[in-house]
Amino acid sequence: MAAWRLLTADRKSFLRKTLIPPFSHPSAAPNSNISSLFNPFPHLFPSLYSPFSTSFLVTKVPKKFKKKRKKKESPRTKLVQQKSSRFPHLEKIVERDNYFRFLLRSKQFLSKQPEHILRLDDAGKLYRELGFPRGRKVNKFIHQHPLLFEIYRHDDSRMWFGFSELMEDLLEEEKKIIDSMELERVNVVKKLLMLSRNRKMLLSKIYHCRMLFGIPEDFRDWVLKFPNDFRVVFEGDGRRMLELVQWDEKLAVSELEREFLVDEDKVKNAFKFPLKHGKSLDLDDDDQRRLNLLNTLPLVSPYSEGWKYDLWTLEAEKYRVGVLHEILSLTLEKRASIHHIVEFKEEFSLTKHTYQMLLKQPRTFYLAGTEMNWVVFLRDAYDRNGVLINKDPLVTFYEKLYQYAQIQEGEMSSDIDNTQ
């Protein structure tokens, strides 16, 4: 036998004699040292071959006893206002808009379709255009407004949905209101162009926000009826711009300037631009208010060339605050969402800090909704119950439309009489 085989065999027999005990369980040798049997080299491996199991020991805190950390709220869900400063009536208006999103977008989309109808299979794919969440069935949202939408089977044996007879009558009523307010809407568009930096804006941007200002659906053709006020020009990239033909000095008066003539103190207290001072002055509230007025007044007219001011100066901030106040005063409901404001960011020389700027003026502006999707209101335009004080005829029409939209099948006859 080779020498290396002898060495290997001797080594295996040595390990067998020294490491493996002569019995399989410690109970077979009650008088022996158990720890030495299971660990013959305690000075080298003190933790090996323990005769006791430690699997029953709880080494981790069970999940049910762990303290649950509060998830950090994201801007998508975190409300703008704290509970103490929240205005519930205005918050409900934002919730109402979310609820009627399908109604308004479907009304807008279907009114452009031939005969105001759409195949139901196609409607399920148009979730953005019709205003319902992706992955949901459109039938559910149609059935929420049984008085305004109808589903029926066409001669081609396919399911279609469209407006009810009542909805068709309401559309005619809306068109008459818009036609009667034509001159007022012309002035609104003129004022928007006068507020803009270069006295011109993209036609597509105004069209996108037309419902905010009560501008008709056929806006692109509608402006051509007023050649003395508007001019359509083409940019180098082919985009169509709406340009102001002539400056109107009579319209270059802001809502704040009109209010100043009626109630001077109200306008003085509308905004707050605090003047920094040392604590050693020890001023009371009245003295502090007078000192802040030195910064607040005079205000900068939104129809001035305030965009020429250095970006972070006090005058530039006054100008931007005045522009936003004037834009909101031109809207139907004296409010606008972040999406509308961002749409005109370049034209009105607004910055990315508009949200923080509005929060610093809580006397005039109220921000509702979440930090990512907020809506700004003009406080003075609403009463304590969150009702708009001066209502445009189109606002009254939409309130009537919302009442019809909430009527269900079982309560149709009585509720229709009350609405009319």
Side-chain angles (χ1 to χ4, degrees), residues 293-305:
L293 278 177
L294 297 175
N295 253 9
T296 305
L297 298 178
L299 296 173
V300 179
S301 172
Y303 295 100
S304 65
E305 294 182 336

PDB file of all heavy atoms in Angstrom, residues 293-305:
ATOM      1  N   LEU A 293     -47.357  98.680   5.745  1.00  0.00           N
ATOM      2  CA  LEU A 293     -47.982  99.408   4.652  1.00  0.00           C
ATOM      3  C   LEU A 293     -46.955 100.163   3.818  1.00  0.00           C
ATOM      4  O   LEU A 293     -47.174 100.431   2.633  1.00  0.00           O
ATOM      5  CB  LEU A 293     -49.026 100.398   5.195  1.00  0.00           C
ATOM      6  CG  LEU A 293     -50.408  99.818   5.533  1.00  0.00           C
ATOM      7  CD1 LEU A 293     -51.308 100.889   6.127  1.00  0.00           C
ATOM      8  CD2 LEU A 293     -51.046  99.206   4.298  1.00  0.00           C
ATOM      9  N   LEU A 294     -45.827 100.515   4.436  1.00  0.00           N
ATOM     10  CA  LEU A 294     -44.766 101.182   3.681  1.00  0.00           C
ATOM     11  C   LEU A 294     -44.234 100.274   2.575  1.00  0.00           C
ATOM     12  O   LEU A 294     -43.816 100.743   1.513  1.00  0.00           O
ATOM     13  CB  LEU A 294     -43.621 101.576   4.626  1.00  0.00           C
ATOM     14  CG  LEU A 294     -43.960 102.588   5.731  1.00  0.00           C
ATOM     15  CD1 LEU A 294     -42.759 102.777   6.646  1.00  0.00           C
ATOM     16  CD2 LEU A 294     -44.377 103.924   5.116  1.00  0.00           C
ATOM     17  N   ASN A 295     -44.252  98.955   2.826  1.00  0.00           N
ATOM     18  CA  ASN A 295     -43.833  97.983   1.812  1.00  0.00           C
ATOM     19  C   ASN A 295     -44.969  97.630   0.862  1.00  0.00           C
ATOM     20  O   ASN A 295     -44.759  97.425  -0.332  1.00  0.00           O
ATOM     21  CB  ASN A 295     -43.344  96.701   2.487  1.00  0.00           C
ATOM     22  CG  ASN A 295     -41.843  96.554   2.411  1.00  0.00           C
ATOM     23  OD1 ASN A 295     -41.131  97.469   2.003  1.00  0.00           O
ATOM     24  ND2 ASN A 295     -41.341  95.411   2.806  1.00  0.00           N
ATOM     25  N   THR A 296     -46.180  97.532   1.405  1.00  0.00           N
ATOM     26  CA  THR A 296     -47.314  97.055   0.617  1.00  0.00           C
ATOM     27  C   THR A 296     -47.741  98.069  -0.436  1.00  0.00           C
ATOM     28  O   THR A 296     -48.048  97.714  -1.579  1.00  0.00           O
ATOM     29  CB  THR A 296     -48.492  96.710   1.544  1.00  0.00           C
ATOM     30  OG1 THR A 296     -48.055  95.765   2.528  1.00  0.00           O
ATOM     31  CG2 THR A 296     -49.658  96.129   0.758  1.00  0.00           C
ATOM     32  N   LEU A 297     -47.794  99.315  -0.047  1.00  0.00           N
ATOM     33  CA  LEU A 297     -48.230 100.368  -0.973  1.00  0.00           C
ATOM     34  C   LEU A 297     -47.031 101.134  -1.507  1.00  0.00           C
ATOM     35  O   LEU A 297     -46.030 101.319  -0.795  1.00  0.00           O
ATOM     36  CB  LEU A 297     -49.203 101.314  -0.258  1.00  0.00           C
ATOM     37  CG  LEU A 297     -50.504 100.667   0.244  1.00  0.00           C
ATOM     38  CD1 LEU A 297     -51.332 101.696   0.974  1.00  0.00           C
ATOM     39  CD2 LEU A 297     -51.300 100.042  -0.889  1.00  0.00           C
ATOM     40  N   PRO A 298     -47.079 101.590  -2.721  1.00  0.00           N
ATOM     41  CA  PRO A 298     -48.171 101.404  -3.690  1.00  0.00           C
ATOM     42  C   PRO A 298     -48.085 100.043  -4.368  1.00  0.00           C
ATOM     43  O   PRO A 298     -46.997  99.489  -4.529  1.00  0.00           O
ATOM     44  CB  PRO A 298     -47.922 102.528  -4.693  1.00  0.00           C
ATOM     45  CG  PRO A 298     -46.440 102.709  -4.668  1.00  0.00           C
ATOM     46  CD  PRO A 298     -46.008 102.445  -3.258  1.00  0.00           C
ATOM     47  N   LEU A 299     -49.253  99.523  -4.782  1.00  0.00           N
ATOM     48  CA  LEU A 299     -49.287  98.275  -5.534  1.00  0.00           C
ATOM     49  C   LEU A 299     -48.870  98.529  -6.987  1.00  0.00           C
ATOM     50  O   LEU A 299     -48.918  99.669  -7.462  1.00  0.00           O
ATOM     51  CB  LEU A 299     -50.699  97.679  -5.488  1.00  0.00           C
ATOM     52  CG  LEU A 299     -51.202  97.248  -4.098  1.00  0.00           C
ATOM     53  CD1 LEU A 299     -52.667  96.850  -4.182  1.00  0.00           C
ATOM     54  CD2 LEU A 299     -50.377  96.108  -3.541  1.00  0.00           C
ATOM     55  N   VAL A 300     -48.480  97.479  -7.660  1.00  0.00           N
ATOM     56  CA  VAL A 300     -48.053  97.582  -9.061  1.00  0.00           C
ATOM     57  C   VAL A 300     -49.187  97.084  -9.948  1.00  0.00           C
ATOM     58  O   VAL A 300     -49.710  95.985  -9.749  1.00  0.00           O
ATOM     59  CB  VAL A 300     -46.779  96.752  -9.315  1.00  0.00           C
ATOM     60  CG1 VAL A 300     -46.356  96.849 -10.778  1.00  0.00           C
ATOM     61  CG2 VAL A 300     -45.651  97.229  -8.415  1.00  0.00           C
ATOM     62  N   SER A 301     -49.577  97.894 -10.911  1.00  0.00           N
ATOM     63  CA  SER A 301     -50.682  97.531 -11.806  1.00  0.00           C
ATOM     64  C   SER A 301     -50.294  96.334 -12.670  1.00  0.00           C
ATOM     65  O   SER A 301     -49.196  96.297 -13.239  1.00  0.00           O
ATOM     66  CB  SER A 301     -51.045  98.712 -12.700  1.00  0.00           C
ATOM     67  OG  SER A 301     -51.990  98.313 -13.682  1.00  0.00           O
ATOM     68  N   PRO A 302     -51.190  95.349 -12.795  1.00  0.00           N
ATOM     69  CA  PRO A 302     -50.883  94.189 -13.655  1.00  0.00           C
ATOM     70  C   PRO A 302     -50.834  94.558 -15.135  1.00  0.00           C
ATOM     71  O   PRO A 302     -50.317  93.778 -15.948  1.00  0.00           O
ATOM     72  CB  PRO A 302     -52.033  93.221 -13.357  1.00  0.00           C
ATOM     73  CG  PRO A 302     -53.142  94.071 -12.852  1.00  0.00           C
ATOM     74  CD  PRO A 302     -52.500  95.206 -12.129  1.00  0.00           C
ATOM     75  N   TYR A 303     -51.365  95.727 -15.501  1.00  0.00           N
ATOM     76  CA  TYR A 303     -51.340  96.168 -16.897  1.00  0.00           C
ATOM     77  C   TYR A 303     -50.123  97.034 -17.211  1.00  0.00           C
ATOM     78  O   TYR A 303     -50.019  97.582 -18.309  1.00  0.00           O
ATOM     79  CB  TYR A 303     -52.634  96.924 -17.226  1.00  0.00           C
ATOM     80  CG  TYR A 303     -53.855  96.044 -17.156  1.00  0.00           C
ATOM     81  CD1 TYR A 303     -54.689  96.062 -16.041  1.00  0.00           C
ATOM     82  CD2 TYR A 303     -54.166  95.173 -18.193  1.00  0.00           C
ATOM     83  CE1 TYR A 303     -55.808  95.242 -15.971  1.00  0.00           C
ATOM     84  CE2 TYR A 303     -55.287  94.353 -18.128  1.00  0.00           C
ATOM     85  CZ  TYR A 303     -56.096  94.390 -17.020  1.00  0.00           C
ATOM     86  OH  TYR A 303     -57.200  93.567 -16.944  1.00  0.00           O
ATOM     87  N   SER A 304     -49.224  97.149 -16.240  1.00  0.00           N
ATOM     88  CA  SER A 304     -47.973  97.864 -16.482  1.00  0.00           C
ATOM     89  C   SER A 304     -46.923  96.889 -17.023  1.00  0.00           C
ATOM     90  O   SER A 304     -47.180  95.692 -17.157  1.00  0.00           O
ATOM     91  CB  SER A 304     -47.479  98.511 -15.185  1.00  0.00           C
ATOM     92  OG  SER A 304     -47.142  97.507 -14.240  1.00  0.00           O
ATOM     93  N   GLU A 305     -45.756  97.404 -17.311  1.00  0.00           N
ATOM     94  CA  GLU A 305     -44.662  96.558 -17.803  1.00  0.00           C
ATOM     95  C   GLU A 305     -43.840  96.051 -16.617  1.00  0.00           C
ATOM     96  O   GLU A 305     -42.620  96.211 -16.554  1.00  0.00           O
ATOM     97  CB  GLU A 305     -43.802  97.344 -18.791  1.00  0.00           C
ATOM     98  CG  GLU A 305     -44.539  97.719 -20.069  1.00  0.00           C
ATOM     99  CD  GLU A 305     -43.656  98.447 -21.062  1.00  0.00           C
ATOM    100  OE1 GLU A 305     -42.642  99.055 -20.624  1.00  0.00           O
ATOM    101  OE2 GLU A 305     -43.956  98.420 -22.263  1.00  0.00           O
TER     102      GLU A 305
END
